[in-house]
Amino acid sequence: MTPPSSGFPTLPAIRAARHRLGDRVETTGVRRWRDDPLQARLAPGTDVWLKEELFQRTGSFKPRGALTVMMSLTPEQLARGVTGVSAGNHAISLAYSARQLHSTATVVMPRTANPYRIMLCVELGAEVVLVDNVHEAFETARAIERDEGRTFVHPYEGPLTALGTATVGMEFIEQTRANGVELDAVVVAAGGGGLTGGVACAVKLLAPDTKVYVVEPEGADTMHRSFAAGAPQSIDMVRTIADSLGAPRCEPYSFALNQAYVDDVVLVSDDQIRDAMRLLYRSAKLVTEPAGAASLAAVLGPLRDRLAGQQAGVVVCGGNVDAASFCGYLALDE
């Protein structure tokens, strides 16, 4: 791991950020997941603790970062509004955050975005601009920023975004400790690395011996490629059902934060994600989007033997999926 930077979140700053967020975000629940179907899939002695961030405002962890960024804006900037790029969850969080802070949001989404998520953005008052792909989306959002004076809020890059997402990791460690448990590992899925970097930073500040494992889909492996290369990398196209994890590239700050605090990056297939969604539904009674099941997919797959006999924390990062798509994911290969 690289030495931590002075520009990374500190524990006092994370606590202050959580206090400032107040009741605009939920302190989502943590529970020990014990069930025969789950235990049959785990290595002997593994216990799983779920951080159920799918019950966050807007259905994912995203408002923590978006609000932290937007609450730093001046009144004049808030009056001009914000813009951003997203396949769904970040766009929804921008719409929510803008409403909370009496601002406005214009979000740019690929045409392939789930119509359900587009509907949620519109219901929250955002203007939605649809484009052909995620690369064009960034160009369009930058044009909106230039032409309309809106502030661009990046979906995963930057110190304030990481400060907001770090509150997930801080809560997780403190909530499990309140249950008398020290987590041996925390498993969290990566889109661009804003969530994973913030969570890993907070976890290591509070519990230096706890391992942090980052999970990516095989079809959107920017962080995995970046770790292998030792520098931020890009992919030409996103090829996964977990579109919330479909970042086209790794950015410098997020990469550095992950490189400093993350122990390893592992990959899961779409089939493994579907399998994890089925188990979460059957056993934990959770309806998750594919991204929300990616961490469990790693616990059942590439991390299974490494987590044997350990207390494993799993971040369930989101649940924004429409009924038809969810049923389709569960029905495949049945």
Side-chain angles (χ1 to χ4, degrees):
M1 295 184 187
T2 58
S5 162
S6 60
F8 292 164
T10 64
L11 196 54
I14 297 168
R15 293 194 191 283
R18 182 63 189 90
H19 178 76
R20 192 177 184 202
L21 287 168
D23 61 5
R24 291 187 174 97
V25 301
E26 301 290 339
T27 300
T28 52
V30 166
R31 62 164 158 152
R32 185 182 183 186
W33 181 14
R34 303 186 70 186
D35 186 79
D36 287 347
L38 171 67
Q39 297 305 129
R41 302 286 303 278
L42 298 173
T46 304
D47 275 339
V48 171
W49 293 80
L50 300 177
K51 174 65 169 166
E52 296 177 331
E53 199 66 8
L54 78 168
F55 295 128
Q56 186 53 260
R57 304 287 183 93
T58 78
S60 85
F61 71 93
K62 284 289 190 178
R64 295 178 185 262
L67 277 166
T68 302
V69 172
M70 290 181 62
M71 291 170 72
S72 74
L73 300 180
T74 66
E76 292 76 19
Q77 288 174 311
L78 287 174
R80 291 193 295 270
V82 297
T83 186
V85 173
S86 172
N89 286 335
H90 179 59
I92 298 166
S93 77
L94 282 183
Y96 167 77
S97 299
R99 175 177 284 190
Q100 285 286 309
L101 300 176
H102 308 290
S103 183
T104 60
T106 297
V107 297
V108 186
M109 306 175 73
R111 297 185 194 282
T112 54
N114 190 303
Y116 171 73
R117 295 176 181 175
I118 296 173
M119 178 192 72
L120 291 178
C121 291
V122 173
E123 286 182 348
L124 285 167
E127 179 183 352
V128 178
V129 178
L130 299 178
V131 296
D132 289 336
N133 56 63
V134 70
H135 293 284
E136 183 183 345
F138 276 95
E139 295 174 3
T140 302
R142 292 300 188 186
I144 292 171
E145 179 185 32
R146 181 186 64 247
D147 297 341
E148 300 182 18
R150 293 179 178 273
T151 299
F152 178 75
V153 181
H154 200 283
Y156 53 86
E157 175 70 345
L160 288 175
T161 298
L163 187 62
T165 61
T167 62
V168 178
M170 181 186 71
E171 288 177 10
F172 206 173
I173 294 298
E174 293 182 342
Q175 287 169 298
T176 49
R177 281 180 174 168
N179 283 281
V181 170
E182 289 289 334
L183 293 177
D184 297 297
V186 170
V187 186
V188 56
L195 173 63
T196 55
V199 167
C201 178
V203 168
K204 293 293 187 178
L205 290 174
L206 281 164
D209 294 332
T210 300
K211 300 289 187 183
V212 179
Y213 298 112
V214 165
V215 184
E216 285 188 310
E218 292 173 348
D221 59 344
T222 53
M223 190 64 69
H224 188 268
R225 295 187 186 202
S226 299
F227 265 56
Q233 301 294 304
S234 301
I235 56 176
D236 62 338
M237 184 179 294
V238 174
R239 301 176 178 88
T240 176
I241 61 170
D243 55 351
S244 298
L245 305 181
R249 59 182 174 266
C250 195
E251 301 289 355
Y253 180 87
S254 298
F255 171 69
L257 189 60
N258 279 269
Q259 191 179 45
Y261 292 110
V262 167
D263 291 280
D264 198 7
V265 183
V266 300
L267 300 178
V268 293
S269 69
D270 280 0
D271 284 344
Q272 288 173 313
I273 291 173
R274 292 187 188 98
D275 179 55
M277 290 177 69
R278 294 188 194 103
L279 186 59
L280 282 163
Y281 177 68
R282 173 189 176 186
S283 176
K285 308 307 178 188
L286 295 179
V287 175
T288 67
E289 61 186 279
S295 294
L296 177 64
V299 172
L300 301 176
L303 294 175
R304 181 182 183 276
D305 293 339
R306 278 197 254 182
L307 296 175
Q310 297 190 8
Q311 300 288 331
V314 174
V315 178
V316 184
C317 61
N320 284 323
V321 61
D322 64 282
S325 297
F326 181 74
C327 291
Y329 294 134
L330 266 61
L332 290 174
D333 301 324
E334 288 283 86

